[in-house]
Amino acid sequence: MAGKPVLHYFNGRGRMECIRWLLAAAGVEFEEKFVETPEDMEKLIKDGSLMYQQVPMVEIDGMKLVQTRAILNYIATKYNLYGKDMKERALIDMYAEGIFDLSEMVMSLVLCPPDQREANIALVKNKIKNRYLPAFEKVLKSHGQDYFVGNRLTRVDIHLLELLLYIEELDASLLASFPLLKALKTRISNLPNVKKFLQPGSQRKPPPDVEKIAEARKLFNFS
Amino acid sequence: MSGKPILHYFDGRGRMEPIRWLLAAAGVEFEEKFMKTREDLQKLRNDGDLMFQQVPMVEIDGMKLVQTGAILSYIASKYNLYGKDMKERALIDMYTEGIADLNEIVLIYPFLPSEKKEASLSNIKDKARNRYFPAFEKVLKSHGQDYLVGNKLSKADVYLVVILYHVEELDSGIMANFPLLKALRTRVSNLPTVKKFLEPGGKRKPFEDEKCVKIVKNIFQLN
C-alpha cells in the first residue's frame, strides 16, 4: 500500500527489530517483506535495491534506505523523537550508541559456539551490571525526570526499553539494583503505542531460536 | 586553550582518526591529550570522564562526548557538514555507515596477530574493491557532482577520503579502478585546512607501527 514504510528483512529480530520498535512507538504502521531464501536476497540485490547488498532495507518516502542507524536517524527525525537541538541530539546519539554496543553483544550470544557460550555470557553480564546499566541509571538519577533526554519522549527511551527487555530475557536479576531504569521500563511500556506493540499479534519478533539462526546462516552463507 | 575541542585517545589512528579529519575539514583547531599508559586510561575512568569507560572522548562545548558516531554527528551538525535537510541527512548517514563498516576491519588490522593478518587483508581488499568503493563510485557517477550529497562537502565525503587513503596503503593498486573516487580524494585533500592537516607536522596520524601497537595493547590490556 502506498505511504506505509516497507521493511525488508528476515522474519526475526536481528538488526531490524530496533527499527520496528521505533516505528511502532511513533505510531507508524508498516509492512514487512520477509527474506526467506537466497533467491529472495538475490532478487533484491539484482534489482539494485541494496546499496551494500545487505539488509535491513526500508522503503520510506521514496528512498530505499539501508544501514540500521541511517534508518533509525531518519525515522527519529521525521517523528520528532530526536530531541530539540544539536546538543540534545549529541546526548541522544551518545546514549543510543552505548545501547547499540550492548545490544550487539547480547544478540551475538546466540551465535557463539556452545563451548564458548558460558564464558561469553559471563562477560556480557559483567558489562551489563558494571558498565552499561550503572551509566544509564546515573543519567536518570542526575535529572530525576521521567524521560532520558529533555524531559520528553525520545528514541533513547524506546531503544532502552527494548534493551532492558532483552536483558530481562537473559537474566531478570540483572535489573534488580537499578530502580530508576525499572521505573522507566514500566512507564514507557505503558505508553499506548508501545503497549500495543508489546501485545501478542503485533509485529514484534520473538526471541531467537539458536538452531533456526544456525540454519539461516548456513542458507545465506554468512561467515 | 579554552574553546578548542580536546581529543582524548592514544597517539594513533584507531577510532579517532575520522574525527581528526572532520575537525580539520571544518577548519577547527583542536588539542590532543594522548594516553600512553594504562594509568592514563584509569585516570580518565576514575574521574568519571568516560560514560562507558571507553575512548575516543572529545571535550567540546561543555560536553564530554564519547562514541565515535555521536562525536562525528555533532561536529558535522555544528559546522554544516550534514546536508540541508532530513533527506540529505539520510543519504549522508547511509553512506557514512557503509564507510564505517569498512573502517571496522581496516582500523583493527595493525593490531591483529600476524597469523590473522593475511585473511584480514584479503577480506579488506575484497570488500573495498567489490562492495564499498563501487557503491560510492556509482553515487558520484549518478549525479556527476563534486561531492556525494547535495553538491556540497559533508561528513560522508571526508570519512570516505580517510578510508580511500587507508585502504590504498594496504592495496596500492586499488584507486586505479575508481577515477571519480580518486578525483574526490584530490579535491578534498586540496581544501586549505585539510591540506595543512596532511602536511608534515599536521595532526594526521601514520599507520600504526609496532611501537604504537605495543603501547595500545598495554593501555587496553589486549593480548
Side-chain angles (χ1 to χ4, degrees):
Chain A
M1 231 153 294
K4 284 192 199 175
V6 182
L7 278 51
H8 297 260
Y9 199 64
F10 313 108
N11 187 3
R13 289 179 178 172
R15 297 186 181 285
M16 186 63 100
E17 193 71 352
C18 53
I19 294 168
R20 298 181 182 111
W21 269 88
L22 195 59
L23 284 168
V28 178
E29 282 183 34
F30 57 90
E31 282 176 34
E32 301 197 79
K33 290 205 174 129
F34 296 122
V35 174
E36 268 148 0
T37 64
E39 289 71 43
D40 292 337
M41 196 68 179
E42 282 303 330
K43 182 171 195 305
L44 283 171
I45 292 172
K46 264 215 189 91
D47 290 347
S49 297
L50 308 179
M51 183 170 181
Y52 309 110
Q53 295 83 54
Q54 296 167 318
V55 287
M57 187 270 278
V58 173
E59 299 180 65
I60 185 168
D61 297 339
M63 298 179 290
K64 286 184 171 148
L65 282 186
V66 297
Q67 290 292 342
T68 309
R69 283 171 178 80
I71 298 164
L72 289 171
N73 289 357
Y74 183 77
I75 295 165
T77 301
K78 185 173 179 185
Y79 297 102
N80 290 310
L81 293 168
Y82 215 159
K84 72 180 200 297
D85 58 30
M86 202 163 66
K87 280 202 165 180
E88 280 196 357
R89 271 202 310 276
L91 294 181
I92 287 169
D93 283 340
M94 184 164 67
Y95 302 153
E97 289 296 323
I99 291 167
F100 297 148
D101 278 356
L102 184 55
S103 293
E104 188 96 12
M105 282 183 240
V106 174
M107 267 201 305
S108 55
L109 284 176
V110 119
L111 303 172
C112 77
D115 58 336
Q116 289 171 29
R117 192 159 291 147
E118 216 175 295
N120 277 331
I121 289 179
L123 223 103
V124 172
K125 284 191 184 183
N126 188 20
K127 290 231 162 91
I128 291 171
K129 242 185 357 192
N130 297 318
R131 173 174 288 187
Y132 289 97
L133 293 190
F136 296 128
E137 184 84 0
K138 185 177 171 187
V139 172
L140 288 175
K141 190 162 191 195
S142 74
H143 56 55
Q145 293 168 358
D146 279 358
Y147 298 100
F148 224 76
V149 178
N151 210 13
R152 66 192 248 267
L153 183 71
T154 68
R155 57 184 289 193
V156 178
D157 303 294
I158 306 303
H159 299 324
L160 193 48
L161 170 60
E162 188 192 348
L163 177 65
L164 293 175
L165 290 173
Y166 296 159
I167 291 173
E168 207 174 46
E169 277 173 7
L170 179 65
D171 180 350
S173 74
L174 289 167
L175 297 178
S177 23
F178 303 100
L180 297 177
L181 286 174
K182 284 207 293 215
L184 180 86
K185 182 168 158 283
T186 305
R187 225 166 22 244
I188 305 298
S189 299
N190 283 324
L191 296 173
N193 289 332
V194 178
K195 201 169 191 174
K196 207 167 119 194
F197 190 62
L198 287 170
Q199 275 157 11
S202 80
Q203 284 159 303
R204 186 165 67 116
K205 302 295 173 273
D209 180 316
V210 179
E211 269 171 44
K212 279 211 184 119
I213 300 240
E215 270 172 47
R217 287 176 71 82
K218 259 210 203 117
L219 186 62
F220 289 95
N221 216 18
F222 285 160
S223 48
Chain B
M1 230 152 297
S2 76
K4 284 191 197 175
I6 303 175
L7 277 51
H8 294 262
Y9 205 60
F10 56 85
D11 188 1
R13 291 175 177 174
R15 296 182 181 287
M16 189 62 101
E17 197 71 351
I19 294 168
R20 297 182 181 109
W21 270 83
L22 192 60
L23 285 168
V28 177
E29 282 185 37
F30 57 90
E31 282 175 35
E32 302 196 80
K33 290 206 172 126
F34 296 123
M35 296 180 320
K36 297 193 168 81
T37 64
R38 183 145 186 86
E39 287 67 45
D40 293 336
L41 176 61
Q42 291 294 18
K43 183 171 193 308
L44 284 170
R45 286 174 169 175
N46 294 337
D47 289 349
D49 288 348
L50 309 177
M51 182 171 182
F52 306 110
Q53 320 315 322
Q54 296 166 322
V55 286
M57 187 270 277
V58 174
E59 298 182 65
I60 183 168
D61 297 340
M63 299 179 289
K64 291 191 162 121
L65 280 185
V66 297
Q67 294 289 345
T68 310
I71 298 165
L72 288 171
S73 291
Y74 182 75
I75 295 166
S77 289
K78 184 173 181 186
Y79 297 103
N80 291 309
L81 294 167
Y82 216 158
K84 71 179 199 301
D85 59 29
M86 204 164 69
K87 280 201 166 182
E88 282 195 357
R89 273 203 305 279
L91 293 180
I92 290 168
D93 282 340
M94 186 162 67
Y95 303 160
T96 301
E97 289 299 314
I99 296 160
D101 278 356
L102 180 56
N103 194 32
E104 273 302 301
I105 42 177
V106 171
L107 70 83
I108 204 75
Y109 178 79
F111 303 95
L112 294 173
S114 40
E115 65 270 15
K116 290 210 166 133
K117 278 196 154 116
E118 200 181 316
S120 176
L121 186 56
S122 219
N123 188 30
I124 291 169
K125 288 183 180 183
D126 175 47
K127 294 261 158 56
R129 281 179 181 252
N130 298 319
R131 171 175 287 180
Y132 292 104
F133 287 20
F136 299 119
E137 184 83 1
K138 183 176 171 189
V139 171
L140 290 174
K141 189 161 191 195
S142 73
H143 54 54
Q145 291 169 358
D146 281 357
Y147 299 104
L148 285 168
V149 179
N151 208 12
K152 181 172 180 286
L153 183 73
S154 76
K155 74 169 170 159
D157 302 292
V158 178
Y159 204 164
L160 179 55
V161 167
V162 181
I163 267 286
L164 295 177
Y165 276 121
H166 292 180
V167 171
E168 191 184 41
E169 281 173 353
L170 301 173
D171 185 356
S172 58
I174 192 173
M175 293 307 289
N177 306 319
F178 303 102
L180 297 177
L181 293 182
K182 201 166 178 198
L184 175 74
R185 187 174 72 175
T186 305
R187 197 174 298 122
V188 171
S189 302
N190 282 331
L191 297 171
T193 46
V194 178
K195 207 168 189 177
K196 213 171 111 190
F197 176 72
L198 298 177
E199 279 163 3
K203 291 199 160 98
R204 174 184 30 179
K205 303 292 173 273
F207 186 82
E208 282 99 344
D209 61 15
E210 251 178 68
K211 186 165 160 229
C212 177
V213 170
K214 201 166 175 205
I215 290 173
V216 172
K217 286 188 173 177
N218 185 41
I219 293 171
F220 297 103
Q221 288 182 342
L222 305 171
N223 49 8

